[in-house]
């Protein structure tokens, strides 16, 4: 999936959340989307889920 399609779907999800759920739902969808993006990005770079919890300088060797 390309970046334009991802941006379109993200914008639509935020728009629906804002329209039907109000501003708090808009913020919640945005925050959870950002968190999901960060986890996905870290996993794409070869990190394990435990590396995300340990922090940047504490990887076991």
């Amino acid at each position: 999936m390309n970046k334009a399609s991802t941006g379109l779907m993200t914008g639509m999800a935020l728009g629906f959340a804002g329209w039907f759920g109000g501003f708090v739902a808009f913020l919640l969808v945005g925050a959870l989307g950002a968190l999901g993006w960060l986890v996905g990005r870290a996993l794409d770079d070869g990190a394990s889920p435990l590396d995300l919890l340990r922090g940047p300088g504490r990887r076991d060797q």
Side-chain angles (χ1 to χ4, degrees):
M1 183 180 312
N2 61 19
K3 292 179 183 178
S5 297
T6 304
L8 174 66
M9 288 192 300
T10 303
M12 290 178 65
L14 288 172
F16 280 123
W19 182 261
F20 292 110
F23 187 68
V24 174
F26 173 81
L27 291 178
L28 181 64
V29 169
L32 291 176
L35 179 65
W37 179 82
L38 286 172
V39 170
R41 176 78 186 231
L43 293 177
D44 280 345
D45 290 341
S48 73
L50 291 177
D51 289 339
L52 295 174
L53 297 175
R54 287 189 194 122
R58 303 193 55 188
R59 291 190 178 171
D60 293 336
Q61 304 200 14

